[in-house]
Each structure stands twice: as C-alpha cells, then as structure tokens.
PDB file of all heavy atoms in Angstrom:
ATOM      1  N   ASP A   1       0.632   8.336  -2.238  1.00 91.00           N
ATOM      2  CA  ASP A   1       1.860   7.672  -1.616  1.00 91.00           C
ATOM      3  C   ASP A   1       2.038   6.176  -2.011  1.00 91.00           C
ATOM      4  O   ASP A   1       1.024   5.484  -2.166  1.00 91.00           O
ATOM      5  CB  ASP A   1       1.693   7.842  -0.099  1.00 91.00           C
ATOM      6  CG  ASP A   1       1.693   9.301   0.319  1.00 91.00           C
ATOM      7  OD1 ASP A   1       2.742   9.896   0.058  1.00 91.00           O
ATOM      8  OD2 ASP A   1       0.693   9.763   0.835  1.00 91.00           O
ATOM      9  N   ARG A   2       3.256   5.789  -2.113  1.00 92.00           N
ATOM     10  CA  ARG A   2       3.560   4.446  -2.415  1.00 92.00           C
ATOM     11  C   ARG A   2       3.326   3.484  -1.236  1.00 92.00           C
ATOM     12  O   ARG A   2       3.214   3.971  -0.050  1.00 92.00           O
ATOM     13  CB  ARG A   2       5.080   4.342  -2.778  1.00 92.00           C
ATOM     14  CG  ARG A   2       5.410   5.122  -4.016  1.00 92.00           C
ATOM     15  CD  ARG A   2       6.887   5.211  -4.264  1.00 92.00           C
ATOM     16  NE  ARG A   2       7.441   3.806  -4.449  1.00 92.00           N
ATOM     17  CZ  ARG A   2       8.663   3.504  -4.618  1.00 92.00           C
ATOM     18  NH1 ARG A   2       9.592   4.521  -4.664  1.00 92.00           N
ATOM     19  NH2 ARG A   2       9.115   2.324  -4.772  1.00 92.00           N
ATOM     20  N   GLY A   3       3.216   2.208  -1.513  1.00 94.00           N
ATOM     21  CA  GLY A   3       3.099   1.239  -0.507  1.00 94.00           C
ATOM     22  C   GLY A   3       1.714   0.792  -0.063  1.00 94.00           C
ATOM     23  O   GLY A   3       1.582   0.039   0.891  1.00 94.00           O
ATOM     24  N   PHE A   4       0.719   1.284  -0.755  1.00 95.00           N
ATOM     25  CA  PHE A   4      -0.717   0.963  -0.353  1.00 95.00           C
ATOM     26  C   PHE A   4      -0.837  -0.528  -0.448  1.00 95.00           C
ATOM     27  O   PHE A   4      -0.282  -1.147  -1.360  1.00 95.00           O
ATOM     28  CB  PHE A   4      -1.658   1.688  -1.330  1.00 95.00           C
ATOM     29  CG  PHE A   4      -3.109   1.660  -0.840  1.00 95.00           C
ATOM     30  CD1 PHE A   4      -3.566   2.438   0.195  1.00 95.00           C
ATOM     31  CD2 PHE A   4      -3.958   0.692  -1.446  1.00 95.00           C
ATOM     32  CE1 PHE A   4      -4.927   2.349   0.579  1.00 95.00           C
ATOM     33  CE2 PHE A   4      -5.263   0.592  -0.979  1.00 95.00           C
ATOM     34  CZ  PHE A   4      -5.737   1.398   0.059  1.00 95.00           C
ATOM     35  N   PRO A   5      -1.696  -1.138   0.435  1.00 96.00           N
ATOM     36  CA  PRO A   5      -1.827  -2.535   0.411  1.00 96.00           C
ATOM     37  C   PRO A   5      -2.367  -3.190  -0.920  1.00 96.00           C
ATOM     38  O   PRO A   5      -3.010  -2.418  -1.658  1.00 96.00           O
ATOM     39  CB  PRO A   5      -2.897  -2.820   1.492  1.00 96.00           C
ATOM     40  CG  PRO A   5      -2.763  -1.603   2.413  1.00 96.00           C
ATOM     41  CD  PRO A   5      -2.420  -0.513   1.499  1.00 96.00           C
ATOM     42  N   ASP A   6      -2.008  -4.407  -1.128  1.00 95.00           N
ATOM     43  CA  ASP A   6      -2.311  -5.061  -2.468  1.00 95.00           C
ATOM     44  C   ASP A   6      -3.858  -5.182  -2.650  1.00 95.00           C
ATOM     45  O   ASP A   6      -4.303  -5.184  -3.807  1.00 95.00           O
ATOM     46  CB  ASP A   6      -1.757  -6.478  -2.410  1.00 95.00           C
ATOM     47  CG  ASP A   6      -0.278  -6.521  -2.462  1.00 95.00           C
ATOM     48  OD1 ASP A   6       0.361  -5.696  -3.125  1.00 95.00           O
ATOM     49  OD2 ASP A   6       0.369  -7.381  -1.846  1.00 95.00           O
ATOM     50  N   LEU A   7      -4.553  -5.320  -1.553  1.00 97.00           N
ATOM     51  CA  LEU A   7      -5.966  -5.753  -1.787  1.00 97.00           C
ATOM     52  C   LEU A   7      -6.817  -5.025  -0.643  1.00 97.00           C
ATOM     53  O   LEU A   7      -6.406  -4.949   0.475  1.00 97.00           O
ATOM     54  CB  LEU A   7      -6.130  -7.235  -1.603  1.00 97.00           C
ATOM     55  CG  LEU A   7      -7.450  -7.799  -1.679  1.00 97.00           C
ATOM     56  CD1 LEU A   7      -8.153  -7.643  -3.020  1.00 97.00           C
ATOM     57  CD2 LEU A   7      -7.412  -9.331  -1.381  1.00 97.00           C
ATOM     58  N   VAL A   8      -8.009  -4.503  -1.050  1.00 98.00           N
ATOM     59  CA  VAL A   8      -8.996  -4.029  -0.087  1.00 98.00           C
ATOM     60  C   VAL A   8     -10.200  -4.816  -0.285  1.00 98.00           C
ATOM     61  O   VAL A   8     -10.732  -4.983  -1.398  1.00 98.00           O
ATOM     62  CB  VAL A   8      -9.285  -2.567  -0.356  1.00 98.00           C
ATOM     63  CG1 VAL A   8     -10.346  -2.033   0.666  1.00 98.00           C
ATOM     64  CG2 VAL A   8      -8.029  -1.681  -0.264  1.00 98.00           C
ATOM     65  N   LEU A   9     -10.749  -5.340   0.883  1.00 98.00           N
ATOM     66  CA  LEU A   9     -11.977  -6.130   0.846  1.00 98.00           C
ATOM     67  C   LEU A   9     -13.043  -5.441   1.751  1.00 98.00           C
ATOM     68  O   LEU A   9     -12.599  -4.912   2.861  1.00 98.00           O
ATOM     69  CB  LEU A   9     -11.778  -7.513   1.418  1.00 98.00           C
ATOM     70  CG  LEU A   9     -10.812  -8.438   0.660  1.00 98.00           C
ATOM     71  CD1 LEU A   9     -10.587  -9.765   1.455  1.00 98.00           C
ATOM     72  CD2 LEU A   9     -11.281  -8.696  -0.768  1.00 98.00           C
ATOM     73  N   THR A  10     -14.262  -5.367   1.284  1.00 98.00           N
ATOM     74  CA  THR A  10     -15.258  -4.805   2.137  1.00 98.00           C
ATOM     75  C   THR A  10     -16.512  -5.617   2.024  1.00 98.00           C
ATOM     76  O   THR A  10     -16.822  -6.200   0.911  1.00 98.00           O
ATOM     77  CB  THR A  10     -15.609  -3.297   1.828  1.00 98.00           C
ATOM     78  OG1 THR A  10     -16.437  -2.704   2.864  1.00 98.00           O
ATOM     79  CG2 THR A  10     -16.175  -3.160   0.437  1.00 98.00           C
ATOM     80  N   HIS A  11     -17.211  -5.838   3.118  1.00 96.00           N
ATOM     81  CA  HIS A  11     -18.422  -6.638   3.064  1.00 96.00           C
ATOM     82  C   HIS A  11     -19.667  -5.891   3.360  1.00 96.00           C
ATOM     83  O   HIS A  11     -19.779  -5.258   4.401  1.00 96.00           O
ATOM     84  CB  HIS A  11     -18.304  -7.796   4.069  1.00 96.00           C
ATOM     85  CG  HIS A  11     -19.207  -8.887   3.839  1.00 96.00           C
ATOM     86  ND1 HIS A  11     -20.612  -8.837   4.029  1.00 96.00           N
ATOM     87  CD2 HIS A  11     -18.985 -10.161   3.445  1.00 96.00           C
ATOM     88  CE1 HIS A  11     -21.107 -10.015   3.760  1.00 96.00           C
ATOM     89  NE2 HIS A  11     -20.199 -10.865   3.349  1.00 96.00           N
ATOM     90  N   PRO A  12     -20.646  -5.786   2.443  1.00 94.00           N
ATOM     91  CA  PRO A  12     -21.787  -4.915   2.495  1.00 94.00           C
ATOM     92  C   PRO A  12     -22.684  -5.270   3.636  1.00 94.00           C
ATOM     93  O   PRO A  12     -23.461  -4.395   4.255  1.00 94.00           O
ATOM     94  CB  PRO A  12     -22.492  -5.024   1.233  1.00 94.00           C
ATOM     95  CG  PRO A  12     -21.908  -6.204   0.512  1.00 94.00           C
ATOM     96  CD  PRO A  12     -20.512  -6.475   1.117  1.00 94.00           C
ATOM     97  N   GLU A  13     -22.716  -6.539   4.094  1.00 91.00           N
ATOM     98  CA  GLU A  13     -23.533  -7.004   5.281  1.00 91.00           C
ATOM     99  C   GLU A  13     -22.874  -6.946   6.571  1.00 91.00           C
ATOM    100  O   GLU A  13     -23.459  -6.755   7.584  1.00 91.00           O
ATOM    101  CB  GLU A  13     -24.175  -8.360   4.956  1.00 91.00           C
ATOM    102  CG  GLU A  13     -25.037  -8.377   3.790  1.00 91.00           C
ATOM    103  CD  GLU A  13     -25.545  -9.777   3.384  1.00 91.00           C
ATOM    104  OE1 GLU A  13     -25.518 -10.610   4.235  1.00 91.00           O
ATOM    105  OE2 GLU A  13     -25.904  -9.959   2.223  1.00 91.00           O
ATOM    106  N   ARG A  14     -21.548  -7.144   6.527  1.00 91.00           N
ATOM    107  CA  ARG A  14     -20.759  -7.254   7.825  1.00 91.00           C
ATOM    108  C   ARG A  14     -20.355  -5.801   8.257  1.00 91.00           C
ATOM    109  O   ARG A  14     -19.968  -5.597   9.389  1.00 91.00           O
ATOM    110  CB  ARG A  14     -19.495  -8.092   7.579  1.00 91.00           C
ATOM    111  CG  ARG A  14     -19.708  -9.457   7.312  1.00 91.00           C
ATOM    112  CD  ARG A  14     -18.359 -10.170   7.038  1.00 91.00           C
ATOM    113  NE  ARG A  14     -18.507 -11.470   6.805  1.00 91.00           N
ATOM    114  CZ  ARG A  14     -18.538 -12.443   7.772  1.00 91.00           C
ATOM    115  NH1 ARG A  14     -18.353 -12.122   9.045  1.00 91.00           N
ATOM    116  NH2 ARG A  14     -18.738 -13.769   7.458  1.00 91.00           N
ATOM    117  N   HIS A  15     -20.360  -4.885   7.252  1.00 92.00           N
ATOM    118  CA  HIS A  15     -19.911  -3.473   7.606  1.00 92.00           C
ATOM    119  C   HIS A  15     -18.512  -3.513   8.058  1.00 92.00           C
ATOM    120  O   HIS A  15     -18.125  -2.918   9.041  1.00 92.00           O
ATOM    121  CB  HIS A  15     -20.877  -2.797   8.567  1.00 92.00           C
ATOM    122  CG  HIS A  15     -22.300  -2.946   8.212  1.00 92.00           C
ATOM    123  ND1 HIS A  15     -22.849  -2.366   7.075  1.00 92.00           N
ATOM    124  CD2 HIS A  15     -23.211  -3.703   8.676  1.00 92.00           C
ATOM    125  CE1 HIS A  15     -24.114  -2.605   7.004  1.00 92.00           C
ATOM    126  NE2 HIS A  15     -24.398  -3.488   7.952  1.00 92.00           N
ATOM    127  N   GLU A  16     -17.652  -4.258   7.394  1.00 95.00           N
ATOM    128  CA  GLU A  16     -16.227  -4.372   7.702  1.00 95.00           C
ATOM    129  C   GLU A  16     -15.397  -4.234   6.468  1.00 95.00           C
ATOM    130  O   GLU A  16     -15.807  -4.531   5.335  1.00 95.00           O
ATOM    131  CB  GLU A  16     -15.941  -5.854   8.205  1.00 95.00           C
ATOM    132  CG  GLU A  16     -16.702  -6.225   9.556  1.00 95.00           C
ATOM    133  CD  GLU A  16     -16.529  -7.631   9.892  1.00 95.00           C
ATOM    134  OE1 GLU A  16     -16.293  -8.539   9.033  1.00 95.00           O
ATOM    135  OE2 GLU A  16     -16.614  -7.918  11.072  1.00 95.00           O
ATOM    136  N   THR A  17     -14.234  -3.676   6.578  1.00 97.00           N
ATOM    137  CA  THR A  17     -13.244  -3.492   5.571  1.00 97.00           C
ATOM    138  C   THR A  17     -11.878  -4.046   6.037  1.00 97.00           C
ATOM    139  O   THR A  17     -11.455  -3.742   7.176  1.00 97.00           O
ATOM    140  CB  THR A  17     -13.161  -2.014   5.155  1.00 97.00           C
ATOM    141  OG1 THR A  17     -14.470  -1.608   4.717  1.00 97.00           O
ATOM    142  CG2 THR A  17     -12.105  -1.809   4.009  1.00 97.00           C
ATOM    143  N   LEU A  18     -11.198  -4.749   5.162  1.00 98.00           N
ATOM    144  CA  LEU A  18      -9.861  -5.303   5.490  1.00 98.00           C
ATOM    145  C   LEU A  18      -8.874  -4.778   4.402  1.00 98.00           C
ATOM    146  O   LEU A  18      -9.224  -4.758   3.235  1.00 98.00           O
ATOM    147  CB  LEU A  18      -9.871  -6.817   5.411  1.00 98.00           C
ATOM    148  CG  LEU A  18     -10.436  -7.681   6.556  1.00 98.00           C
ATOM    149  CD1 LEU A  18     -11.919  -7.399   6.649  1.00 98.00           C
ATOM    150  CD2 LEU A  18     -10.150  -9.078   6.342  1.00 98.00           C
ATOM    151  N   PHE A  19      -7.703  -4.449   4.851  1.00 98.00           N
ATOM    152  CA  PHE A  19      -6.607  -4.065   3.943  1.00 98.00           C
ATOM    153  C   PHE A  19      -5.652  -5.242   4.001  1.00 98.00           C
ATOM    154  O   PHE A  19      -5.179  -5.644   5.178  1.00 98.00           O
ATOM    155  CB  PHE A  19      -5.920  -2.819   4.407  1.00 98.00           C
ATOM    156  CG  PHE A  19      -6.920  -1.616   4.305  1.00 98.00           C
ATOM    157  CD1 PHE A  19      -7.754  -1.296   5.369  1.00 98.00           C
ATOM    158  CD2 PHE A  19      -6.885  -0.784   3.201  1.00 98.00           C
ATOM    159  CE1 PHE A  19      -8.656  -0.194   5.245  1.00 98.00           C
ATOM    160  CE2 PHE A  19      -7.749   0.325   3.043  1.00 98.00           C
ATOM    161  CZ  PHE A  19      -8.582   0.590   4.105  1.00 98.00           C
ATOM    162  N   ILE A  20      -5.216  -5.756   2.914  1.00 98.00           N
ATOM    163  CA  ILE A  20      -4.398  -6.990   2.851  1.00 98.00           C
ATOM    164  C   ILE A  20      -3.085  -6.757   2.043  1.00 98.00           C
ATOM    165  O   ILE A  20      -3.167  -6.289   0.901  1.00 98.00           O
ATOM    166  CB  ILE A  20      -5.217  -8.164   2.343  1.00 98.00           C
ATOM    167  CG1 ILE A  20      -6.422  -8.404   3.217  1.00 98.00           C
ATOM    168  CG2 ILE A  20      -4.314  -9.440   2.199  1.00 98.00           C
ATOM    169  CD1 ILE A  20      -7.361  -9.409   2.665  1.00 98.00           C
ATOM    170  N   GLU A  21      -2.015  -7.081   2.599  1.00 97.00           N
ATOM    171  CA  GLU A  21      -0.704  -7.101   1.891  1.00 97.00           C
ATOM    172  C   GLU A  21      -0.346  -8.566   1.742  1.00 97.00           C
ATOM    173  O   GLU A  21      -0.204  -9.320   2.707  1.00 97.00           O
ATOM    174  CB  GLU A  21       0.309  -6.349   2.660  1.00 97.00           C
ATOM    175  CG  GLU A  21       1.684  -6.243   1.995  1.00 97.00           C
ATOM    176  CD  GLU A  21       1.562  -5.455   0.661  1.00 97.00           C
ATOM    177  OE1 GLU A  21       0.875  -4.386   0.581  1.00 97.00           O
ATOM    178  OE2 GLU A  21       2.198  -5.949  -0.345  1.00 97.00           O
ATOM    179  N   CYS A  22      -0.037  -9.005   0.530  1.00 97.00           N
ATOM    180  CA  CYS A  22       0.398 -10.387   0.260  1.00 97.00           C
ATOM    181  C   CYS A  22       1.842 -10.496   0.019  1.00 97.00           C
ATOM    182  O   CYS A  22       2.442  -9.639  -0.643  1.00 97.00           O
ATOM    183  CB  CYS A  22      -0.312 -10.941  -1.042  1.00 97.00           C
ATOM    184  SG  CYS A  22      -2.098 -11.053  -0.908  1.00 97.00           S
ATOM    185  N   LYS A  23       2.469 -11.487   0.709  1.00 96.00           N
ATOM    186  CA  LYS A  23       3.939 -11.695   0.566  1.00 96.00           C
ATOM    187  C   LYS A  23       4.156 -13.147   0.512  1.00 96.00           C
ATOM    188  O   LYS A  23       3.434 -13.963   1.104  1.00 96.00           O
ATOM    189  CB  LYS A  23       4.634 -11.088   1.812  1.00 96.00           C
ATOM    190  CG  LYS A  23       4.657  -9.594   1.874  1.00 96.00           C
ATOM    191  CD  LYS A  23       5.585  -9.010   0.816  1.00 96.00           C
ATOM    192  CE  LYS A  23       5.603  -7.495   0.927  1.00 96.00           C
ATOM    193  NZ  LYS A  23       6.098  -6.863  -0.235  1.00 96.00           N
ATOM    194  N   SER A  24       5.279 -13.517  -0.146  1.00 95.00           N
ATOM    195  CA  SER A  24       5.705 -14.891  -0.084  1.00 95.00           C
ATOM    196  C   SER A  24       6.200 -15.157   1.374  1.00 95.00           C
ATOM    197  O   SER A  24       6.268 -14.284   2.162  1.00 95.00           O
ATOM    198  CB  SER A  24       6.896 -15.052  -1.028  1.00 95.00           C
ATOM    199  OG  SER A  24       8.039 -14.325  -0.586  1.00 95.00           O
ATOM    200  N   GLU A  25       6.537 -16.425   1.612  1.00 95.00           N
ATOM    201  CA  GLU A  25       7.042 -16.766   2.980  1.00 95.00           C
ATOM    202  C   GLU A  25       8.257 -15.992   3.421  1.00 95.00           C
ATOM    203  O   GLU A  25       8.446 -15.679   4.525  1.00 95.00           O
ATOM    204  CB  GLU A  25       7.281 -18.276   3.071  1.00 95.00           C
ATOM    205  CG  GLU A  25       6.023 -19.133   3.012  1.00 95.00           C
ATOM    206  CD  GLU A  25       4.989 -18.867   4.133  1.00 95.00           C
ATOM    207  OE1 GLU A  25       5.294 -18.265   5.144  1.00 95.00           O
ATOM    208  OE2 GLU A  25       3.854 -19.242   3.905  1.00 95.00           O
ATOM    209  N   THR A  26       9.053 -15.562   2.404  1.00 95.00           N
ATOM    210  CA  THR A  26      10.294 -14.845   2.689  1.00 95.00           C
ATOM    211  C   THR A  26      10.302 -13.351   2.375  1.00 95.00           C
ATOM    212  O   THR A  26      11.238 -12.662   2.663  1.00 95.00           O
ATOM    213  CB  THR A  26      11.454 -15.552   2.030  1.00 95.00           C
ATOM    214  OG1 THR A  26      11.233 -15.503   0.595  1.00 95.00           O
ATOM    215  CG2 THR A  26      11.687 -16.935   2.547  1.00 95.00           C
ATOM    216  N   GLY A  27       9.212 -12.872   1.755  1.00 95.00           N
ATOM    217  CA  GLY A  27       9.087 -11.510   1.352  1.00 95.00           C
ATOM    218  C   GLY A  27       9.083 -10.600   2.564  1.00 95.00           C
ATOM    219  O   GLY A  27       8.499 -10.907   3.533  1.00 95.00           O
ATOM    220  N   SER A  28       9.542  -9.415   2.413  1.00 97.00           N
ATOM    221  CA  SER A  28       9.508  -8.399   3.522  1.00 97.00           C
ATOM    222  C   SER A  28       8.793  -7.201   3.097  1.00 97.00           C
ATOM    223  O   SER A  28       8.706  -6.839   1.906  1.00 97.00           O
ATOM    224  CB  SER A  28      10.958  -8.048   3.960  1.00 97.00           C
ATOM    225  OG  SER A  28      11.682  -7.521   2.869  1.00 97.00           O
ATOM    226  N   LEU A  29       8.304  -6.459   4.069  1.00 97.00           N
ATOM    227  CA  LEU A  29       7.563  -5.186   3.745  1.00 97.00           C
ATOM    228  C   LEU A  29       8.565  -4.077   3.559  1.00 97.00           C
ATOM    229  O   LEU A  29       9.593  -3.980   4.237  1.00 97.00           O
ATOM    230  CB  LEU A  29       6.678  -4.850   5.025  1.00 97.00           C
ATOM    231  CG  LEU A  29       5.542  -5.793   5.304  1.00 97.00           C
ATOM    232  CD1 LEU A  29       4.904  -5.376   6.603  1.00 97.00           C
ATOM    233  CD2 LEU A  29       4.507  -5.795   4.163  1.00 97.00           C
ATOM    234  N   SER A  30       8.250  -3.176   2.598  1.00 97.00           N
ATOM    235  CA  SER A  30       9.046  -2.071   2.380  1.00 97.00           C
ATOM    236  C   SER A  30       8.759  -0.946   3.448  1.00 97.00           C
ATOM    237  O   SER A  30       7.734  -1.094   4.156  1.00 97.00           O
ATOM    238  CB  SER A  30       8.789  -1.450   0.984  1.00 97.00           C
ATOM    239  OG  SER A  30       7.508  -0.848   0.970  1.00 97.00           O
ATOM    240  N   GLY A  31       9.555   0.038   3.519  1.00 98.00           N
ATOM    241  CA  GLY A  31       9.302   1.146   4.480  1.00 98.00           C
ATOM    242  C   GLY A  31       7.987   1.842   4.132  1.00 98.00           C
ATOM    243  O   GLY A  31       7.287   2.185   5.099  1.00 98.00           O
ATOM    244  N   TYR A  32       7.667   1.920   2.871  1.00 97.00           N
ATOM    245  CA  TYR A  32       6.368   2.574   2.478  1.00 97.00           C
ATOM    246  C   TYR A  32       5.178   1.694   2.956  1.00 97.00           C
ATOM    247  O   TYR A  32       4.282   2.226   3.389  1.00 97.00           O
ATOM    248  CB  TYR A  32       6.301   2.668   0.950  1.00 97.00           C
ATOM    249  CG  TYR A  32       7.386   3.653   0.366  1.00 97.00           C
ATOM    250  CD1 TYR A  32       8.358   3.107  -0.422  1.00 97.00           C
ATOM    251  CD2 TYR A  32       7.431   4.995   0.663  1.00 97.00           C
ATOM    252  CE1 TYR A  32       9.316   3.938  -0.959  1.00 97.00           C
ATOM    253  CE2 TYR A  32       8.369   5.815   0.110  1.00 97.00           C
ATOM    254  CZ  TYR A  32       9.355   5.221  -0.707  1.00 97.00           C
ATOM    255  OH  TYR A  32      10.313   6.108  -1.236  1.00 97.00           O
ATOM    256  N   GLN A  33       5.286   0.395   2.776  1.00 98.00           N
ATOM    257  CA  GLN A  33       4.244  -0.514   3.249  1.00 98.00           C
ATOM    258  C   GLN A  33       4.091  -0.464   4.697  1.00 98.00           C
ATOM    259  O   GLN A  33       2.940  -0.541   5.270  1.00 98.00           O
ATOM    260  CB  GLN A  33       4.508  -1.943   2.744  1.00 98.00           C
ATOM    261  CG  GLN A  33       4.367  -2.061   1.237  1.00 98.00           C
ATOM    262  CD  GLN A  33       4.917  -3.346   0.726  1.00 98.00           C
ATOM    263  OE1 GLN A  33       5.939  -3.955   1.235  1.00 98.00           O
ATOM    264  NE2 GLN A  33       4.354  -3.869  -0.362  1.00 98.00           N
ATOM    265  N   LEU A  34       5.168  -0.372   5.425  1.00 98.00           N
ATOM    266  CA  LEU A  34       5.117  -0.245   6.916  1.00 98.00           C
ATOM    267  C   LEU A  34       4.433   1.059   7.320  1.00 98.00           C
ATOM    268  O   LEU A  34       3.629   1.032   8.312  1.00 98.00           O
ATOM    269  CB  LEU A  34       6.456  -0.344   7.536  1.00 98.00           C
ATOM    270  CG  LEU A  34       7.101  -1.735   7.570  1.00 98.00           C
ATOM    271  CD1 LEU A  34       8.650  -1.644   7.936  1.00 98.00           C
ATOM    272  CD2 LEU A  34       6.351  -2.695   8.494  1.00 98.00           C
ATOM    273  N   GLN A  35       4.655   2.149   6.623  1.00 98.00           N
ATOM    274  CA  GLN A  35       3.963   3.383   6.900  1.00 98.00           C
ATOM    275  C   GLN A  35       2.456   3.239   6.809  1.00 98.00           C
ATOM    276  O   GLN A  35       1.671   3.698   7.636  1.00 98.00           O
ATOM    277  CB  GLN A  35       4.436   4.538   6.058  1.00 98.00           C
ATOM    278  CG  GLN A  35       5.800   5.031   6.364  1.00 98.00           C
ATOM    279  CD  GLN A  35       6.215   6.179   5.414  1.00 98.00           C
ATOM    280  OE1 GLN A  35       5.929   6.158   4.250  1.00 98.00           O
ATOM    281  NE2 GLN A  35       6.912   7.151   6.060  1.00 98.00           N
ATOM    282  N   TRP A  36       2.000   2.585   5.725  1.00 98.00           N
ATOM    283  CA  TRP A  36       0.592   2.369   5.502  1.00 98.00           C
ATOM    284  C   TRP A  36       0.019   1.465   6.558  1.00 98.00           C
ATOM    285  O   TRP A  36      -1.067   1.694   7.109  1.00 98.00           O
ATOM    286  CB  TRP A  36       0.341   1.773   4.090  1.00 98.00           C
ATOM    287  CG  TRP A  36       0.175   2.777   3.028  1.00 98.00           C
ATOM    288  CD1 TRP A  36       1.141   3.155   2.093  1.00 98.00           C
ATOM    289  CD2 TRP A  36      -0.903   3.599   2.738  1.00 98.00           C
ATOM    290  NE1 TRP A  36       0.671   4.076   1.301  1.00 98.00           N
ATOM    291  CE2 TRP A  36      -0.561   4.373   1.675  1.00 98.00           C
ATOM    292  CE3 TRP A  36      -2.166   3.758   3.323  1.00 98.00           C
ATOM    293  CZ2 TRP A  36      -1.463   5.382   1.186  1.00 98.00           C
ATOM    294  CZ3 TRP A  36      -3.058   4.663   2.877  1.00 98.00           C
ATOM    295  CH2 TRP A  36      -2.741   5.487   1.744  1.00 98.00           C
ATOM    296  N   LYS A  37       0.738   0.330   6.885  1.00 98.00           N
ATOM    297  CA  LYS A  37       0.311  -0.569   7.939  1.00 98.00           C
ATOM    298  C   LYS A  37       0.085   0.164   9.210  1.00 98.00           C
ATOM    299  O   LYS A  37      -0.940   0.073   9.828  1.00 98.00           O
ATOM    300  CB  LYS A  37       1.335  -1.613   8.134  1.00 98.00           C
ATOM    301  CG  LYS A  37       1.154  -2.493   9.335  1.00 98.00           C
ATOM    302  CD  LYS A  37       2.400  -3.413   9.616  1.00 98.00           C
ATOM    303  CE  LYS A  37       2.156  -4.362  10.770  1.00 98.00           C
ATOM    304  NZ  LYS A  37       1.672  -3.849  12.022  1.00 98.00           N
ATOM    305  N   HIS A  38       1.051   0.921   9.698  1.00 98.00           N
ATOM    306  CA  HIS A  38       0.933   1.653  10.962  1.00 98.00           C
ATOM    307  C   HIS A  38      -0.240   2.684  10.928  1.00 98.00           C
ATOM    308  O   HIS A  38      -1.020   2.853  11.914  1.00 98.00           O
ATOM    309  CB  HIS A  38       2.232   2.291  11.371  1.00 98.00           C
ATOM    310  CG  HIS A  38       3.342   1.285  11.660  1.00 98.00           C
ATOM    311  ND1 HIS A  38       3.190   0.249  12.522  1.00 98.00           N
ATOM    312  CD2 HIS A  38       4.570   1.102  11.164  1.00 98.00           C
ATOM    313  CE1 HIS A  38       4.264  -0.502  12.557  1.00 98.00           C
ATOM    314  NE2 HIS A  38       5.129   0.001  11.690  1.00 98.00           N
ATOM    315  N   SER A  39      -0.328   3.458   9.841  1.00 98.00           N
ATOM    316  CA  SER A  39      -1.342   4.417   9.742  1.00 98.00           C
ATOM    317  C   SER A  39      -2.745   3.817   9.790  1.00 98.00           C
ATOM    318  O   SER A  39      -3.597   4.295  10.439  1.00 98.00           O
ATOM    319  CB  SER A  39      -1.091   5.313   8.532  1.00 98.00           C
ATOM    320  OG  SER A  39      -2.055   6.320   8.469  1.00 98.00           O
ATOM    321  N   LEU A  40      -2.853   2.758   8.977  1.00 98.00           N
ATOM    322  CA  LEU A  40      -4.197   2.149   8.939  1.00 98.00           C
ATOM    323  C   LEU A  40      -4.605   1.534  10.268  1.00 98.00           C
ATOM    324  O   LEU A  40      -5.721   1.687  10.759  1.00 98.00           O
ATOM    325  CB  LEU A  40      -4.245   1.075   7.797  1.00 98.00           C
ATOM    326  CG  LEU A  40      -4.248   1.636   6.415  1.00 98.00           C
ATOM    327  CD1 LEU A  40      -3.926   0.535   5.403  1.00 98.00           C
ATOM    328  CD2 LEU A  40      -5.554   2.273   6.107  1.00 98.00           C
ATOM    329  N   GLU A  41      -3.665   0.782  10.932  1.00 98.00           N
ATOM    330  CA  GLU A  41      -3.966   0.196  12.200  1.00 98.00           C
ATOM    331  C   GLU A  41      -4.257   1.202  13.284  1.00 98.00           C
ATOM    332  O   GLU A  41      -5.088   1.044  14.105  1.00 98.00           O
ATOM    333  CB  GLU A  41      -2.774  -0.811  12.610  1.00 98.00           C
ATOM    334  CG  GLU A  41      -2.704  -1.998  11.836  1.00 98.00           C
ATOM    335  CD  GLU A  41      -1.566  -2.919  12.183  1.00 98.00           C
ATOM    336  OE1 GLU A  41      -0.516  -2.369  12.763  1.00 98.00           O
ATOM    337  OE2 GLU A  41      -1.698  -4.137  11.971  1.00 98.00           O
ATOM    338  N   ASN A  42      -3.444   2.345  13.271  1.00 98.00           N
ATOM    339  CA  ASN A  42      -3.627   3.370  14.225  1.00 98.00           C
ATOM    340  C   ASN A  42      -5.002   4.117  14.013  1.00 98.00           C
ATOM    341  O   ASN A  42      -5.443   4.743  14.930  1.00 98.00           O
ATOM    342  CB  ASN A  42      -2.463   4.316  14.222  1.00 98.00           C
ATOM    343  CG  ASN A  42      -1.157   3.734  14.790  1.00 98.00           C
ATOM    344  OD1 ASN A  42      -1.205   2.803  15.514  1.00 98.00           O
ATOM    345  ND2 ASN A  42      -0.076   4.334  14.392  1.00 98.00           N
TER     346      ASN A  42
END
C-alpha cells in the first residue's frame, strides 16, 4: 500500500520503534499517509 512513512527508526537498547513522516511547514498528508498514520497509532 502507498503512503508508508518516510522513515522508520528503531533503538536496540530502548526497545522502541518510531514511524516518521517528514513534511515542509506547508506540506499536507495524503489520504494514503493518513490511513497509515491512523492504522499505526491504533
């Protein structure tokens, strides 16, 4: 599926993973990016 976040970070000692979408100050998320955002957060 389209819209996967730009960057995935994981820390081997923290046992944490972050999904990051980068945008300019005026850039907006596409519908596909919003679907990923909501699914990952949920």
Side-chain angles (χ1 to χ4, degrees):
D1 296 298
R2 296 173 59 183
F4 191 79
D6 293 322
L7 179 62
V8 179
L9 300 176
T10 190
H11 199 289
E13 295 173 24
R14 295 174 179 273
H15 311 290
E16 298 173 333
T17 300
L18 281 66
F19 295 87
I20 299 171
E21 184 63 42
C22 296
K23 292 289 182 193
S24 67
E25 291 299 343
T26 58
S28 60
L29 295 172
S30 71
Y32 298 112
Q33 291 169 327
L34 287 169
Q35 285 180 323
W36 275 103
K37 171 193 183 306
H38 295 306
S39 183
L40 289 167
E41 288 179 334
N42 290 337

